[in-house]
Amino acid sequence: MKRALITGITGQDGAYLTEFLLGKGYEVHGLLRRASLFNTDRIDHIYHDPHVEGPALRLHYGDLGDGTALRRVLEKVQPDEVYNLAAQSHVKVSFEVPEYTADIVALGTLRLLEALRDHMTVSGAKVRYYQAGSSEMFGSAPPPQSERTPFHPRSPYAVSKVAAHWYAVNYREAYGMFVCNGILFNHESPRRGETFVSRKVTRAVGRIKEGLQEKLYLGNLEARRDWGFAGDYVEAMWLMLQHETADDYVIATGASHSVRDLAAAAFAELGMDWREFVAFDARYLRPAEVDALQGDATKARERLGWRPRVDFAQLVKMMVAHDHDLARQEKTLRSAGFGVPVRGAAHS
Ligand code: NDP
Ligand code: GDR
């Protein structure tokens, strides 16, 4: 049985990757941040009481800011594969907490690579490593973007991801470690955090339809993104680590849509016209924007046999259907007199 260690296991991608690897027969270990409230919502359906026989999933406290804990977890878990998904992953928030973002996204990657290098030297183990890179690294480089496109990052988040990318390349070249960078374009799902634009829109569509919300406030409607489905993208992470050589790959659908297109498609799913409900709020603008992302994933298709299964229209449909159900549940609870907290969307 292969063993994987996932940082960022409680995030969107961590949850899909955990399901995927368990389905492949892996034993999965995840790094968990201590929080004052439970932060395991996305994996609770898989996680069992460790005293009870259940799926091969174990969680270990740790943080990318704490190199000692990373070393301890690596020694304890003895993984065959490490997936570094943990990050302060919100681009707009990174302008507000740039130093923390750099500490976790850039230095956190370095801490983990250093810990892994030492672990491999001491134990003699051969461990494969996946680094969660981002299309944000391309920033203002014009589309389509491929592995050959130069980086021009536009946010503290993106600059930190570029540093993490080059740390990963450097460890591959300097120490011969099996390290892959996935350069993933935006990928979404019903598990997406509610302050990212796709989920913010689909949550609002469901709530507006059910009379729970009146308006949706958005920032830049002109930005274009290459949106895919997270469930498809975690398979690409795994495929990279199964290939005979370590390399870097762009993962994308190849289709680009504007935020406006996204809003129009999502409202139309429930028979509404987005123009009646969407309002502009400058607080959601960023000091520097990434205008247009559209990925060319030819290399991943040719070398890994990877291709996306879910397109933009199917993705919007899936997310709206999920969030409409959530809104209906909220309405039922409210009409029965239960208080339901409205979370998230106001801040980013
Ligand atoms: P999420 O924001 O959903 O999840 C981030 C994860 O990182 C969470 O598990 C979070 O824990 C954890 N985390 C945050 N800070 C720390 C820390 N200091 N120490 C340990 N863990 C931490 O991100 P996604 O799942 O969407 O993305 C996964 C990775 O892929 C990220 O690195 C992201 O930057 C990158 N990426 C994402 C893309 C996308 O479109 N989704 C595209 C390209 C790259 P907690 O739950 O406790 O907050
Ligand atoms: P992004 O995703 O910055 O591409 O980073 P996000 O969904 O936050 O923004 C996409 C685009 O939508 C515009 N936008 C808004 N965005 C948010 N969040 N809220 C709004 O109200 C709003 N209005 C307009 C943004 O300006 C932007 O142009 C995501 C993250 O998952 C990163 O971690 C990942 O690396 C990249 O995708 C690829």
Side-chain angles (χ1 to χ4, degrees):
M1 187 191 268
K2 271 197 187 174
R3 218 171 295 135
L5 172 65
I6 304 175
T7 74
I9 195 167
T10 54
Q12 170 189 253
D13 291 6
Y16 281 106
L17 182 62
T18 300
E19 286 171 350
F20 179 85
L21 293 177
L22 288 172
K24 293 265 174 213
Y26 279 61
E27 184 179 301
V28 177
H29 294 256
L31 199 71
L32 178 69
R33 292 205 286 178
R34 194 269 157 182
S36 67
L37 290 170
F38 286 115
N39 55 355
T40 53
D41 283 16
R42 293 188 178 98
I43 50 171
D44 279 344
H45 62 290
I46 322 169
Y47 188 64
H48 278 234
D49 183 333
H51 308 97
V52 180
E53 272 299 298
L57 170 62
R58 291 287 174 265
L59 299 178
H60 309 268
Y61 280 112
D63 193 301
L64 280 194
D66 180 349
T68 311
L70 296 178
R71 283 166 191 272
R72 200 173 295 134
V73 170
L74 281 170
E75 275 166 34
K76 194 170 166 194
V77 172
Q78 303 273 332
D80 300 290
E81 297 171 5
V82 173
Y83 295 85
N84 183 27
L85 311 185
Q88 189 304 91
S89 71
H90 203 285
V91 173
K92 170 83 190 316
V93 172
S94 79
F95 287 98
E96 281 151 50
V97 290
E99 195 177 321
Y100 173 74
T101 303
D103 186 31
I104 299 312
V105 175
L107 277 183
T109 299
L110 180 62
R111 283 183 194 105
L112 186 56
L113 284 166
E114 260 304 87
L116 185 60
R117 179 166 84 90
D118 288 349
H119 167 70
M120 285 168 60
T121 306
V122 171
S123 67
K126 295 257 174 283
V127 185
R128 297 187 168 206
Y129 176 98
Y130 172 83
Q131 174 59 30
S134 165
S135 51
E136 283 293 297
M137 300 189 299
F138 295 125
S140 57
Q145 293 96 359
S146 74
E147 296 81 2
R148 294 176 305 284
T149 306
F151 297 142
H152 188 144
R154 299 269 289 165
S155 64
Y157 166 81
V159 172
S160 302
K161 281 287 183 190
V162 171
H165 175 95
W166 286 114
Y167 282 136
V169 171
N170 183 240
Y171 273 62
R172 185 168 69 214
E173 293 175 352
Y175 306 116
M177 288 167 64
F178 194 106
V179 170
C180 297
N181 285 293
I183 307 175
L184 273 55
F185 283 60
N186 299 54
H187 45 279
E188 321 293 312
S189 74
R191 294 178 185 161
R192 185 59 143 151
E194 294 186 22
T195 62
F196 297 98
V197 77
S198 62
R199 191 79 201 288
K200 181 171 169 183
V201 168
T202 59
R203 280 292 273 144
V205 165
R207 298 188 82 245
I208 289 171
K209 183 72 181 177
E210 293 306 314
L212 297 164
Q213 181 175 334
E214 286 177 4
K215 288 267 175 226
L216 166 63
Y217 293 95
L218 293 177
N220 180 12
L221 298 180
E222 311 306 328
R224 300 185 70 85
R225 291 290 182 275
D226 180 333
W227 279 293
F229 172 52
D232 290 344
Y233 285 39
V234 298
E235 183 185 9
M237 299 175 186
W238 176 77
L239 284 169
M240 285 178 215
L241 296 199
Q242 311 316 305
H243 199 261
E244 58 266 27
T245 46
D247 209 338
D248 306 328
Y249 296 91
V250 159
I251 301 297
T253 69
S256 159
H257 297 87
S258 66
V259 174
R260 183 192 306 274
D261 297 338
L262 171 76
F267 277 92
E269 269 303 311
L270 297 187
M272 295 184 283
D273 182 341
W274 71 280
R275 286 166 296 194
E276 288 175 35
F277 305 102
V278 174
F280 172 72
D281 187 335
R283 89 176 68 187
Y284 301 117
L285 298 177
R286 290 141 191 219
E289 177 62 283
V290 169
D291 294 326
L293 293 174
Q294 182 174 10
D296 173 359
T298 306
K299 181 175 168 184
R301 190 173 63 247
E302 289 177 351
R303 301 209 190 152
L304 304 177
W306 179 85
R307 61 181 73 235
R309 296 188 180 89
V310 176
D311 68 15
F312 177 75
Q314 291 166 315
L315 178 66
V316 171
K317 196 180 197 56
M318 174 201 306
M319 292 178 68
V320 169
H322 176 274
D323 285 341
H324 191 200
D325 272 355
L326 263 189
R328 286 201 197 98
Q329 288 168 27
E330 180 184 343
K331 192 173 178 183
T332 307
L333 286 171
R334 282 187 191 282
S335 43
F338 292 98
V340 182
V342 178
R343 299 197 294 190
H347 303 298
S348 328

